[in-house]
């Protein structure tokens, strides 16, 4: 029987370094951003307690720092100071407790699995764009032309074979 450390059997814990809980993000594996509060980020829990970015308000510092939906949050600033706490497999309750207890105007987020895929940029280019005054005029003209054609067809009979 082997009663050695759990890491020997299950492999190393990604949130530990040499058996000690990490206090700083491994920037070779994740990107750390420091954002001002309020964040303007909607989070979601997936994969057995992992925390992911669901949505980001575009008028926030988080958006300006490049935080985007789909990224996994792997660490977050501790209640105070520069230490960071792991968020892997902690679940939404514990995560929100940490987030809501943060003192100060800024918070650090360590992100992984960021989607920097060119395909997403390609599809985003097809997203609806704000309608210009010219677009509105064209739509009105088209509607007027349609109405005129409809009035021209009133009272006419059509036979189909």
């Amino acid at each position: 029987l082997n009663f050695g450390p759990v890491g020997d059997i299950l492999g190393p814990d990604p949130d530990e370094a040499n058996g000690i809980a990490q206090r700083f993000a491994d920037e070779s594996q994740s990107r750390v951003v420091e954002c001002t509060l309020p964040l303007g980020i909607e989070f979601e829990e997936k994969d057995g307690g992992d925390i992911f970015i669901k949505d980001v308000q575009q008028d926030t510092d988080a958006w300006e720092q490049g935080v985007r939906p789909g990224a996994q949050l792997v660490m977050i600033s501790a209640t105070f100071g520069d230490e960071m706490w792991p968020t892997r497999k902690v679940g939404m309750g514990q995560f929100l407790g940490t987030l809501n207890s943060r003192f100060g105007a800024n918070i650090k987020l360590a992100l992984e699995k960021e989607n920097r895929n060119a395909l997403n940029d390609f599809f985003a280019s097809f997203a609806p764009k704000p309608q210009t005054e010219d677009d509105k005029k064209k739509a009105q003209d088209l509607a007027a032309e349609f109405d005129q054609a409809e009035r021209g067809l009133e009272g006419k009979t059509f036979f189909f074979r």
Side-chain angles (χ1 to χ4, degrees), residues 25-102:
D26 178 0
E27 293 189 44
S28 70
Q29 299 292 317
S30 57
R31 182 173 71 98
V32 177
V33 294
E34 185 169 357
C35 303
T36 57
L37 296 172
L39 282 174
I41 298 175
E42 184 179 349
F43 298 95
E44 65 181 335
E45 180 179 338
K46 294 183 187 177
D47 302 332
D50 286 341
I51 307 299
F52 286 80
I53 308 296
K54 183 175 183 180
D55 195 23
V56 184
Q57 293 176 357
Q58 292 188 15
D59 60 346
T60 62
D61 187 43
W63 180 267
E64 292 296 318
Q65 298 292 333
V67 178
R68 297 293 185 270
Q72 181 181 2
L73 180 67
V74 294
M75 296 190 90
I76 188 170
S77 293
T79 302
F80 54 88
D82 290 330
E83 290 186 0
M84 296 190 68
W85 291 346
T87 58
R88 283 188 173 102
K89 307 292 184 209
V90 299
M92 190 61 76
Q94 186 174 348
F95 163 70
L96 289 176
T98 302
L99 177 64
N100 292 330
S101 67
R102 175 69 182 164

Side-chain angles (χ1 to χ4, degrees), residues 80-146:
F80 54 88
D82 290 330
E83 290 186 0
M84 296 190 68
W85 291 346
T87 58
R88 283 188 173 102
K89 307 292 184 209
V90 299
M92 190 61 76
Q94 186 174 348
F95 163 70
L96 289 176
T98 302
L99 177 64
N100 292 330
S101 67
R102 175 69 182 164
F103 290 107
N106 297 337
I107 191 164
K108 288 183 182 178
L109 309 172
L111 303 171
E112 289 183 4
K113 299 183 182 176
E114 292 183 280
N115 194 347
R116 297 177 186 216
N117 190 334
L119 220 94
N120 281 345
D121 293 340
F122 173 76
F123 287 121
S125 70
F126 292 105
K129 296 177 180 45
Q131 199 174 40
T132 65
E133 290 302 317
D134 190 41
D135 293 335
K136 291 176 185 176
K137 172 113 176 66
K138 286 179 184 176
Q140 288 173 344
D141 290 347
L142 186 59
E145 185 177 329
F146 178 81

